[in-house]
Amino acid sequence: MKVLEIREDAAKIQFSNSELSILANTIRETIAALTREFVARVGASIAEGQKVEDLLTQAIDRNYESIELNLSKLELGILHSCLNEVCYGFKLADFELKIGASREEVRLIFEQVIPISREMRSILDEIKAAFIAKAKLNKKEFLLEGEGYKVSFDLSKRRLRQEEIGVSIRLFLETQISELSLKTHLDLMTTQDVRNFILELENYANSLNKASDDLISPLNIYNDLFQLQVENKKIEKEESEYANLSLMVHFTRSRPKVSEPFLGVKGMISIQNITSFTSSVREFLDCSIESMSLDTSDRSQ
């Protein structure tokens, strides 16, 4: 037996004709001995076991010294379990006659199969770890935090719709007697709309030093998901600079032709928080676009 390739869901293995015969006999005898317990002890149905037996039997070709087979994770698992049962499970009379090899020879084959199963699990674990890491990269929380409240923007990259960003907003209110937390359903905004939102906040943060009047920005509504309004006046407090920001979030769906209900807050947020928020979101958007390009190129190869 020679392992040619191992993936998380399959393995390409080169077998001799005698090995194929031994493995087919192993499955056949395991089914015969464990008819009522086969599913519980092998982890597959008898029909699935018989399919693997047929696959091995049909692959035998005396015209060739070796045959290459692609075995799925399930098929390899059936081989692994049946070899374990034959070697260490039930007692089989006339072992060598029925299997076509001695118990020691079958154990040697079993010892070659064990590392394949372990390697498949290891590869799958690595893929899962990479997927989780990538998911964390493509989904992130961004906070605007004022006195007595926090607004969390949860942004997520869309794999198949690159021009859109998943947006969910959570509003946390803290009072002297209670705490309130509300979260919107996941909605979609175009990447450009998110950039426009960030650009507006950046412009207001940059213009506060120049503003001389207590002007209020127009009420901008973003995708019917939230409304934003900022006072063009810098507030200095305890050696820090703040701006008054009004944020209204759409939490419910109203009936047609009825005004949409919004719930929100108005309060001071530090200029430093706004600047950190905008730069972090912009970095996330730029990183997301690069990741999307990589996803697309990977699928095209």
Side-chain angles (χ1 to χ4, degrees), residues 143-209:
L143 277 176
L144 286 171
E145 187 168 1
E147 294 187 5
Y149 73 92
K150 291 187 293 185
V151 182
S152 166
F153 286 78
D154 295 330
L155 306 184
S156 55
K157 185 190 78 172
R158 314 299 293 177
R159 176 182 289 273
L160 299 179
R161 304 179 70 174
Q162 301 181 14
E163 74 283 358
E164 293 181 330
I165 297 291
V167 180
S168 178
I169 301 175
R170 289 184 292 172
L171 177 61
F172 303 90
L173 300 176
E174 298 177 3
T175 69
Q176 293 181 349
I177 59 174
S178 65
E179 294 182 356
L180 175 65
S181 175
L182 296 172
K183 182 178 180 180
T184 67
H185 293 294
L186 180 69
D187 209 335
L188 296 177
M189 290 180 64
T190 66
T191 303
Q192 188 57 51
D193 280 346
V194 178
R195 288 190 180 279
N196 290 341
F197 163 55
I198 295 305
L199 181 61
E200 181 183 0
L201 279 179
E202 288 175 336
N203 288 339
Y204 284 126
N206 293 331
S207 66
L208 286 174
N209 289 324

